Amino acid sequence: MTVRPLLFAANWKMHIDPSEAEAFASTFLRSTTAAPGREIWFFPPAVSLLATASAFAGRPDVRVGAQDIHWEPKGAFTGATSVPLAKASGAEAALVGHSERRHVFGETDTDTGRKVAALLEHGLIPVLCVGERLEERDAGGTDRVVQRQLNAGLTAVDPESLSRLVIAYEPVWAIGTGKTATPEDAAAVHRVIRDDLERRGAEPAAIPILYGGSVKVANVRVLLEQPELDGVLVGGASLDPAGWAELVKRGSEGEGGQRTVR
């Protein structure tokens, strides 16, 4: 029997400075308690990484990660954060291939593969983000795009290391638009991802697959009633500590509990 924890990941993007992160943590920690089978991850901007990790130290259900990293351990890469630097600042994970990195900053599929390999080499958890644009979806290309991005991101990962990853499906057309994939549509893509992982020799039931795309308090519970969804990657709705605490609580209720897979 494999138990996958339900995972709530907050991507703060370019919000929340170090002092705000400390205040956020103070409020959030008063509003929540650790619960079995549930993890809460935070991805602050680089300048707030150390403050966020320090503020949540001591809560066993909380991890902190970087929003992006460079695959080289050091060098002349102005503005970039290496994996060792992120780790020294308290990061246990990092997002890779977020849609904004791909479509705003031009990150390539090849870049994502390098970043995943670098994170695994240094013992951090890659959260590999995949997802299609609206025109790709309308053309029936969702599965093809997702599998291409998986192929690139996992190109250097051996089957034994696959269990150290998290995958996040984030349809680009649903991020920050107010549009959300239906729970059934999201679950269908999650099944495609899990089948792909199984073909690579992974134990697919052990790898969390998150959904990201305009997740909010009003829809998180119905999304997580789909057993294929192991959690959510949330942007705007994670910026208010009380609202984020409510989203985590709502998503953990009813059928949204931890995933037990036989």
Side-chain angles (χ1 to χ4, degrees), residues 9 55 68 98 117 121-122 129 143 195-196 209 221:
D68 185 43
H98 188 279
E121 179 182 355
H122 291 279
C129 302
D143 292 1
D195 289 346
D196 182 279
I209 305 176
R221 184 169 176 176

mmCIF file of all heavy atoms in Angstrom, residues 9 55 68 98 117 121-122 129 143 195-196 209 221:
data_model
loop_
_atom_site.group_PDB
_atom_site.id
_atom_site.type_symbol
_atom_site.label_atom_id
_atom_site.label_comp_id
_atom_site.label_asym_id
_atom_site.label_seq_id
_atom_site.Cartn_x
_atom_site.Cartn_y
_atom_site.Cartn_z
ATOM 1 N N ALA A 9 0.752 23.590 -2.425
ATOM 2 C CA ALA A 9 1.950 24.368 -2.733
ATOM 3 C C ALA A 9 1.569 25.800 -3.078
ATOM 4 O O ALA A 9 0.707 26.036 -3.929
ATOM 5 C CB ALA A 9 2.709 23.724 -3.896
ATOM 6 N N ALA A 55 11.152 31.188 9.223
ATOM 7 C CA ALA A 55 9.871 31.448 9.887
ATOM 8 C C ALA A 55 9.059 30.169 10.080
ATOM 9 O O ALA A 55 8.291 30.060 11.031
ATOM 10 C CB ALA A 55 9.069 32.463 9.081
ATOM 11 N N ASP A 68 12.840 29.082 -8.947
ATOM 12 C CA ASP A 68 13.637 28.777 -10.133
ATOM 13 C C ASP A 68 15.079 28.611 -9.686
ATOM 14 O O ASP A 68 15.489 29.155 -8.650
ATOM 15 C CB ASP A 68 13.525 29.914 -11.168
ATOM 16 C CG ASP A 68 14.250 29.589 -12.462
ATOM 17 O OD1 ASP A 68 14.131 28.439 -12.938
ATOM 18 O OD2 ASP A 68 14.950 30.470 -12.997
ATOM 19 N N HIS A 98 8.003 26.277 -14.812
ATOM 20 C CA HIS A 98 6.722 26.947 -14.633
ATOM 21 C C HIS A 98 6.370 27.683 -15.914
ATOM 22 O O HIS A 98 7.242 28.174 -16.633
ATOM 23 C CB HIS A 98 6.796 27.911 -13.451
ATOM 24 C CG HIS A 98 5.479 28.508 -13.074
ATOM 25 N ND1 HIS A 98 4.933 29.574 -13.750
ATOM 26 C CD2 HIS A 98 4.584 28.181 -12.111
ATOM 27 C CE1 HIS A 98 3.768 29.881 -13.222
ATOM 28 N NE2 HIS A 98 3.528 29.045 -12.209
ATOM 29 N N ALA A 117 17.991 17.640 -13.412
ATOM 30 C CA ALA A 117 19.187 16.856 -13.090
ATOM 31 C C ALA A 117 20.015 17.528 -11.992
ATOM 32 O O ALA A 117 20.527 16.857 -11.082
ATOM 33 C CB ALA A 117 20.031 16.662 -14.356
ATOM 34 N N GLU A 121 20.886 16.008 -8.281
ATOM 35 C CA GLU A 121 22.284 15.829 -7.911
ATOM 36 C C GLU A 121 22.572 16.392 -6.529
ATOM 37 O O GLU A 121 23.369 15.830 -5.764
ATOM 38 C CB GLU A 121 23.176 16.515 -8.946
ATOM 39 C CG GLU A 121 24.666 16.414 -8.644
ATOM 40 C CD GLU A 121 25.530 17.154 -9.653
ATOM 41 O OE1 GLU A 121 24.982 17.663 -10.650
ATOM 42 O OE2 GLU A 121 26.760 17.233 -9.424
ATOM 43 N N HIS A 122 21.915 17.480 -6.172
ATOM 44 C CA HIS A 122 22.172 18.139 -4.898
ATOM 45 C C HIS A 122 21.135 17.783 -3.826
ATOM 46 O O HIS A 122 21.113 18.400 -2.754
ATOM 47 C CB HIS A 122 22.221 19.646 -5.092
ATOM 48 C CG HIS A 122 23.422 20.102 -5.877
ATOM 49 N ND1 HIS A 122 24.667 20.260 -5.322
ATOM 50 C CD2 HIS A 122 23.559 20.406 -7.198
ATOM 51 C CE1 HIS A 122 25.526 20.660 -6.249
ATOM 52 N NE2 HIS A 122 24.880 20.761 -7.392
ATOM 53 N N CYS A 129 6.885 21.378 -13.853
ATOM 54 C CA CYS A 129 5.597 21.899 -14.313
ATOM 55 C C CYS A 129 5.423 21.642 -15.800
ATOM 56 O O CYS A 129 6.335 21.902 -16.603
ATOM 57 C CB CYS A 129 5.506 23.400 -14.042
ATOM 58 S SG CYS A 129 5.720 23.853 -12.308
ATOM 59 N N ASP A 143 -2.211 16.209 -24.770
ATOM 60 C CA ASP A 143 -1.402 15.050 -24.386
ATOM 61 C C ASP A 143 -0.022 15.114 -25.032
ATOM 62 O O ASP A 143 0.990 14.811 -24.388
ATOM 63 C CB ASP A 143 -2.103 13.756 -24.794
ATOM 64 C CG ASP A 143 -3.372 13.502 -24.001
ATOM 65 O OD1 ASP A 143 -3.723 14.336 -23.143
ATOM 66 O OD2 ASP A 143 -4.028 12.470 -24.257
ATOM 67 N N ASP A 195 0.591 7.450 -16.448
ATOM 68 C CA ASP A 195 0.912 6.371 -17.397
ATOM 69 C C ASP A 195 2.309 6.560 -17.977
ATOM 70 O O ASP A 195 3.057 5.595 -18.161
ATOM 71 C CB ASP A 195 -0.120 6.338 -18.521
ATOM 72 C CG ASP A 195 -1.476 5.830 -18.074
ATOM 73 O OD1 ASP A 195 -1.562 5.246 -16.970
ATOM 74 O OD2 ASP A 195 -2.462 6.016 -18.826
ATOM 75 N N ASP A 196 2.656 7.811 -18.274
ATOM 76 C CA ASP A 196 3.989 8.108 -18.808
ATOM 77 C C ASP A 196 5.063 7.735 -17.797
ATOM 78 O O ASP A 196 6.094 7.133 -18.143
ATOM 79 C CB ASP A 196 4.078 9.595 -19.164
ATOM 80 C CG ASP A 196 5.414 9.975 -19.773
ATOM 81 O OD1 ASP A 196 6.369 10.177 -19.003
ATOM 82 O OD2 ASP A 196 5.504 10.075 -21.020
ATOM 83 N N ILE A 209 1.154 14.226 -8.162
ATOM 84 C CA ILE A 209 0.875 15.051 -9.335
ATOM 85 C C ILE A 209 -0.127 16.118 -8.909
ATOM 86 O O ILE A 209 -1.238 15.809 -8.470
ATOM 87 C CB ILE A 209 0.318 14.224 -10.499
ATOM 88 C CG1 ILE A 209 1.269 13.072 -10.844
ATOM 89 C CG2 ILE A 209 0.104 15.103 -11.730
ATOM 90 C CD1 ILE A 209 0.748 12.141 -11.931
ATOM 91 N N ARG A 221 -12.018 22.098 -3.217
ATOM 92 C CA ARG A 221 -12.545 20.818 -2.723
ATOM 93 C C ARG A 221 -13.060 19.947 -3.859
ATOM 94 O O ARG A 221 -12.774 18.738 -3.902
ATOM 95 C CB ARG A 221 -13.647 21.065 -1.702
ATOM 96 C CG ARG A 221 -14.169 19.778 -1.077
ATOM 97 C CD ARG A 221 -15.054 20.048 0.112
ATOM 98 N NE ARG A 221 -15.612 18.831 0.649
ATOM 99 C CZ ARG A 221 -16.370 18.764 1.736
ATOM 100 N NH1 ARG A 221 -16.619 19.869 2.425
ATOM 101 N NH2 ARG A 221 -16.847 17.619 2.155
#
